[in-house]
Each structure stands twice: as C-alpha cells, then as structure tokens.
Amino acid sequence: MLAASRTDRLSVPYMELKWLEDFLAVAKLRNFSQACVARHVTQSALSRRIKALEVWYGVPLIDRSSYPVTLTKEGTAFAALAEQIVADLYRSRREALASREAAGRTLKFAMPHSLAVYFFPMWWREQRRDSEHHAAVVAADLDECIDLLLGGACQFVLCYRHPRVPNLLAESSFRGVRVGETTLVPVSAVDAHGNSRFLLPPRNDEAMPLLAYSRESFLGKVTATLHAELEAHFPLVLRYESALVEALKVEALLGEGVAWLPEDMIEPELRAGTLRIVGDADSTARLEIWLFASNASDSVSLADELAFLRQLRRVDDAGIA
C-alpha cells in the first residue's frame, strides 16, 4: 500500500488533468498494461503519475496487491468524482471554444426600430450568402445607436441619412457605405368607399390632423421642415406623436390623421388599399440608408468588418467612405 504522509502531500502541491485520465483508464480497464496502451504511455510513466495523484489526494486509490487491480474504498468514490470533473472540464472547453468561434462570426448591429423590422431582415438575408457570419441586432434610437458604436457594444450602425439633418457618424471618421434608400410619403387611411379619409392639401382649407414623429427623433427633424412648409398654406393640428414608425402606422390605419411613413415599409398596406398616399412629390422626403462601421482597435476584428463590407451586394459606386 502507498502511504501518503503529510510531507508527501506537501511535495505535490498541484494536480494535472492527465493524472485523472490515467487513473480513470486504470479504473475502467483494471489492468496497468492495457491502460498504458489506451493512454499511449509507458507503464513506468503511468505508475509514476498514478502515485503522484495518490500523494496529492492523500490516500491510496488503487489496491495493487490484487489481480486484476481493484480500487480502494476511497478510490471507488473518487473515480465517480474524477469522471465528472474530466467530463465537465472538456465540456466547458468545447463550449468556450464554440463561443469564441461564434463570437468571431457574429456581427453586431444597432439600428432604429423601423430598419430592424422592415429593412434589415431581407437585406441581411442577401448579405449572408456564402458567409458564415451571424447577426445580432439591437433596436434603439439613433443617439443610443451611436453610443453603442462608440462604446464598442456593436460593430455596425444602420441608419437613415437626409441632407437636412446632420449625421454625426458621416461627419466623423467612421467608415460608411450606402446600402439602400426609401421615401417618406404622407399617407391616410381610407373610408368605407375606398377614398382617402384625409387629403393633402385638405378640403376647404380645414385643419389637417397630423400624426408626427417626436421632434428630437431623426425622422421628426426630417419631417419638421415639410410640416412647416405645409403649415404656411393651411393649418395642421397635432393628433399623435411618437418616435416609432410602427406607432404612427397603427394610428394612420385607425384613421386618426396623416402620417409620413417609409414607402417600402408600408407596401403591403398600399397594395391592400388600407393606406393611400396623399399629396404630391413636393410633400415627400427621400432618405438614404447607410451602414457605418466601428473604428475597431482590434486588427483582427477590423479585418473581419472590412471583409464583410467588401462583400456587400448593394453598395453604391461610391463604395466605402
């Protein structure tokens, strides 16, 4: 029997994973020679490592006086624990490696809610062809999206651009590319006869009920000029205000007033006739959709982002700015 004194235990202050695997091989095969073959080590090396494990643990784990070898009482209890430890270690390692690999293929985007719902899904479906990248999306207002990009919480921001509204990302050193466009159009619900509930300009110079974006929002700043120009000719009365395209769309469908909505995002309603465009081209606003990339300090991450940008299929001739 192997006697493990206090001095012996102090002489082996650490334990190695391969010792546990050696011990489990002997516990399973009950034969040192077969365990050596399974572990691809010499018998002397295997015996030395098993003894080191017993010294570290403090008690004998294998009874070498019998044939085939058997485990001591303590060895039997330890075998179950060792098997679980080894399994957990390798499982944890696999998960960590898979997580790192997945993180390397995940591209994080921040964008306004309307783009997250109506534009990004189909756009991303086109971009991910022949690519192993995955997308993680955060929907937020533009200011928050910019904060996420500056703070490194995302790699890309997808946003609207309009010449009337300054864009912090476009004016900075962030790399950007135009990936789409849309038009804000004034729409109204229809009545029972299929006619627009509200017209632009309204009948008899009556006040037009307005469904407006919050003034501090990007779309609110874009439409503010349009509203001001219209108000010079006839009165507007504010019925509802929200920063969300979806909220204004619901109010418009309920017949509460006229809302300026991205045209390609209301195509189903326009085809179904539940919403109708009112007014002329002068009452619309053309929007560009841009993708901005972070100025990552990590060269590997930066290379991945640039490679992804080069793969875009809907890039204008201007390319990456």
Side-chain angles (χ1 to χ4, degrees), residues 187-255:
V187 297
S188 165
V190 298
D191 58 23
H193 303 289
N195 301 315
S196 300
R197 284 182 175 270
F198 307 101
L199 297 177
L200 189 63
R203 304 180 187 92
N204 304 320
D205 294 330
E206 61 187 14
M208 188 192 77
L210 176 64
L211 308 174
Y213 296 101
S214 303
R215 293 185 179 183
E216 69 276 7
S217 68
F218 177 85
L219 295 181
K221 295 173 182 176
V222 172
T223 53
T225 303
L226 291 174
H227 297 163
E229 293 172 352
L230 294 176
E231 202 163 19
H233 303 285
F234 50 83
L236 304 178
V237 56
L238 181 62
R239 287 283 183 84
Y240 187 83
E241 184 176 283
S242 174
L244 299 178
V245 170
E246 295 87 344
L248 297 189
K249 175 182 170 181
V250 170
E251 290 296 312
L253 286 168
L254 291 174

Side-chain angles (χ1 to χ4, degrees), residues 283-294:
S283 58
T284 66
R286 195 70 176 167
L287 300 176
E288 293 182 347
I289 301 172
W290 277 67
L291 181 74
F292 289 95
S294 64

Side-chain angles (χ1 to χ4, degrees), residues 61-198:
L61 300 173
I62 296 176
D63 183 357
R64 297 167 177 79
S65 63
S66 62
Y67 183 85
V69 296
T70 59
L71 301 181
T72 63
K73 178 181 177 181
E74 294 81 5
T76 300
F78 181 69
L81 178 60
E83 187 172 16
Q84 186 63 51
I85 290 172
V86 172
D88 286 346
L89 282 172
Y90 279 109
R91 175 185 54 77
S92 177
R93 179 175 180 270
R94 287 194 302 271
E95 291 175 354
L97 291 174
S99 177
R100 185 179 68 176
E101 182 180 359
R105 296 196 306 266
T106 299
L107 298 176
K108 299 177 181 179
F109 297 81
M111 64 194 71
H113 294 80
S114 57
L115 291 176
V117 174
Y118 296 107
F119 177 81
F120 184 81
M122 289 301 297
W123 177 82
W124 175 248
R125 185 177 182 182
E126 294 179 8
Q127 311 315 316
R128 71 181 182 187
R129 293 174 184 171
D130 305 322
S131 172
E132 294 184 353
H133 288 106
H134 307 302
V137 175
V138 175
D141 60 49
L142 181 58
D143 289 340
E144 185 177 351
C145 290
I146 293 175
D147 288 341
L148 291 172
L149 189 66
L150 292 173
C154 70
Q155 297 157 283
F156 299 96
V157 164
L158 193 66
C159 63
Y160 298 111
R161 285 187 65 181
H162 189 275
R164 292 176 179 172
V165 182
N167 186 295
L168 176 63
L169 296 175
E171 296 172 356
S172 67
S173 58
F174 286 99
R175 295 161 292 130
V177 59
R178 190 173 77 168
V179 295
E181 58 184 12
T182 188
T183 302
L184 283 178
V185 294
V187 297
S188 165
V190 298
D191 58 23
H193 303 289
N195 301 315
S196 300
R197 284 182 175 270
F198 307 101

Side-chain angles (χ1 to χ4, degrees), residues 254-318:
L254 291 174
E256 291 298 316
V258 175
W260 271 254
L261 302 176
E263 185 174 7
D264 58 340
M265 300 180 189
I266 54 170
E267 284 183 358
E269 290 76 17
L270 293 175
R271 288 197 302 268
T274 53
L275 288 178
R276 181 169 294 177
I277 298 175
V278 295
D280 54 24
D282 291 337
S283 58
T284 66
R286 195 70 176 167
L287 300 176
E288 293 182 347
I289 301 172
W290 277 67
L291 181 74
F292 289 95
S294 64
N295 293 322
S297 58
D298 185 336
S299 59
V300 175
S301 174
L302 180 59
D304 290 342
E305 291 169 10
L306 286 172
F308 174 72
L309 285 172
R310 286 194 295 269
Q311 291 172 7
L312 294 179
R313 289 176 170 82
R314 294 175 61 181
V315 177
D316 278 9
D317 292 337

